[in-house]
Amino acid sequence: VSTQSTGGMYERHAASLVELLSGQHKDWTRHSPDQNLFGELLLRSGPTCGEIMPAVYQIFKDCTATEKDPELRMTMFTLLGRLLRDTPVTSEASKQLSLFSVPIITEIVTPNLEWRAGRTAGTVRCAAISSLWALLKSNLLSRDALKQVQEKLVAQLVSNLDDDNCATRLVCCNCFNFVLQTGGKECFGPDELHKVYVELLKRLDDSSDELRVAVTSTLKTFFSLLPEDYNRELYKAHLQFLYRGLLIHLDDPNQAIQEAVYDVLCEAGRVWPSYLCEHIENVKHKHRSSLYCDKLLAAFKDS
């Protein structure tokens, strides 16, 4: 069967198939044949997927409701992630997915990011945050759409930075960085940024070095969003907390962490160069090596 004829087949029958499945999906389990058929239909329908998106969204919403079987929810999140990753950016299906980005986040993803006890609940959170990462990486969330979900989404990301599952924390950190970059200064002013940095800084003490390096990228984005007219005197306590915390990790036993933190401080120092130098002078003698302290002092001493 040629690709063209296969595409035509899906175009002719996808809507009626999804309508048929929609009548039964509320009774699905992970092992339901219809659930498997739904997955195959979505992943093979290509551009036609855009035409059936309202019905597809409703099936995902109902099957990922928090009272549903956790195994079904994990299966649906895996399918949603594949759909979001594999849909070509220029396709009609991608445009439709973008239109549904806000309800996908508010009605499907964030309810499943709320903390619930147990290992199974943790696995569901990991699946949910992974599908969010797929949505963000596919550039399906515009800045205007982000404004609609920002408050609730950021609150859930802050919460999940402290999840027991390392994979969840890592993906959450990457999502956080992407959200900050997408929103930019238009969405994240000083007040919004001050609410998140404590949890970001905590992750420099994480058990995973991979995550510790990842969070330095998020912290660099954080500092890049502070406005040029940032009131340094008014917010001095925030900068003091950040500078002191970062300088502790500039002396980390792991050189990769040292280098990553040094890069953050290069960005952070632009906010208040003399104040950073003051803190460096106070701790330089305690560090194993003064290399990075000296480089920072050379860069900012006369600024």
Side-chain angles (χ1 to χ4, degrees):
V1 181
S2 69
T3 303
Q4 186 175 0
S5 61
T6 302
M9 180 182 70
Y10 278 112
E11 189 172 344
R12 290 191 299 273
H13 301 295
S16 57
L17 272 172
V18 169
E19 183 179 355
L20 178 64
L21 294 171
S22 295
Q24 307 164 20
H25 71 278
K26 291 185 179 180
D27 297 321
W28 285 355
T29 68
R30 184 171 71 90
H31 302 290
S32 298
D34 284 355
Q35 185 270 323
N36 294 323
L37 176 60
F38 175 67
E40 288 298 311
L41 175 65
L42 280 191
L43 297 176
R44 294 176 182 270
S45 60
T48 309
C49 184
E51 301 171 14
I52 57 176
M53 195 54 63
V56 166
Y57 164 75
Q58 191 62 48
I59 290 175
F60 273 116
K61 179 184 175 183
D62 291 339
C63 291
T64 56
T66 54
E67 67 272 12
K68 287 290 187 179
D69 172 54
E71 287 193 346
L72 174 62
R73 284 187 280 154
M74 285 186 278
T75 300
M76 295 301 287
F77 275 121
T78 299
L79 176 60
L80 178 60
R82 287 189 63 186
L83 177 65
L84 293 166
R85 285 192 301 270
D86 295 348
T87 302
V89 175
T90 56
S91 69
E92 182 61 31
S94 178
K95 294 177 185 176
Q96 289 296 317
L97 279 168
S98 182
L99 291 175
F100 278 89
S101 62
V102 168
I104 286 173
I105 290 174
T106 58
E107 303 296 333
I108 295 176
V109 174
T110 53
N112 283 280
L113 291 180
E114 294 179 5
W115 189 88
R116 293 174 180 83
R119 182 176 297 179
T120 301
T123 305
V124 172
R125 286 195 299 276
C126 188
I129 198 75
S130 296
S131 68
L132 174 63
W133 180 229
L135 185 151
L136 295 174
K137 283 191 71 177
S138 299
N139 292 311
L140 295 173
L141 185 69
S142 66
R143 181 171 294 176
D144 287 340
L146 173 60
K147 290 176 182 178
Q148 299 177 52
V149 301
Q150 179 179 340
E151 184 175 356
K152 189 170 183 178
L153 178 58
V154 169
Q156 287 295 345
L157 290 176
V158 168
S159 174
N160 280 273
L161 279 171
D162 199 31
D163 196 89
D164 292 337
N165 187 324
C166 180
T168 300
R169 298 196 304 274
L170 178 60
V171 177
C172 182
C173 182
N174 291 332
C175 288
F176 218 135
N177 194 17
F178 208 99
V179 166
L180 289 175
Q181 291 173 352
T182 301
K185 295 180 181 180
E186 186 177 333
C187 292
F188 293 97
D191 289 342
E192 290 77 20
L193 292 170
H194 291 159
K195 293 175 183 177
V196 304
Y197 74 79
V198 173
E199 290 302 321
L200 291 174
L201 206 58
K202 281 182 183 178
R203 296 279 58 86
L204 287 174
D205 288 315
D206 200 272
S207 58
S208 164
D209 283 346
E210 182 182 6
L211 193 152
R212 296 171 74 206
V213 171
V215 81
T216 60
S217 295
T218 311
L219 285 164
K220 281 182 69 176
T221 303
F222 168 91
F223 281 108
S224 73
L225 295 181
L226 294 178
E228 291 185 10
D229 61 351
Y230 185 74
N231 192 327
R232 301 182 303 190
E233 291 291 347
L234 178 63
Y235 300 132
K236 187 174 183 178
H238 295 294
L239 290 174
Q240 180 185 70
F241 188 89
L242 283 158
Y243 286 169
R244 285 180 175 177
L246 288 167
L247 285 168
I248 289 171
H249 294 283
L250 188 64
D251 190 40
D252 196 273
N254 186 331
Q255 187 172 356
I257 303 298
Q258 290 181 32
E259 292 175 356
V261 171
Y262 168 76
D263 287 341
V264 177
L265 284 165
C266 286
E267 187 71 44
R270 296 191 179 96
V271 181
W272 198 348
S274 62
Y275 195 50
L276 175 59
C277 289
E278 179 183 325
H279 281 81
I280 293 173
E281 295 285 10
N282 289 337
V283 301
K284 176 183 171 182
H285 66 282
K286 301 177 183 178
H287 283 206
R288 294 173 179 83
S289 167
S290 64
L291 173 65
Y292 292 110
C293 288
D294 290 337
K295 289 173 70 174
L296 288 166
L297 288 171
F300 294 119
K301 194 72 172 178
D302 297 323
S303 298

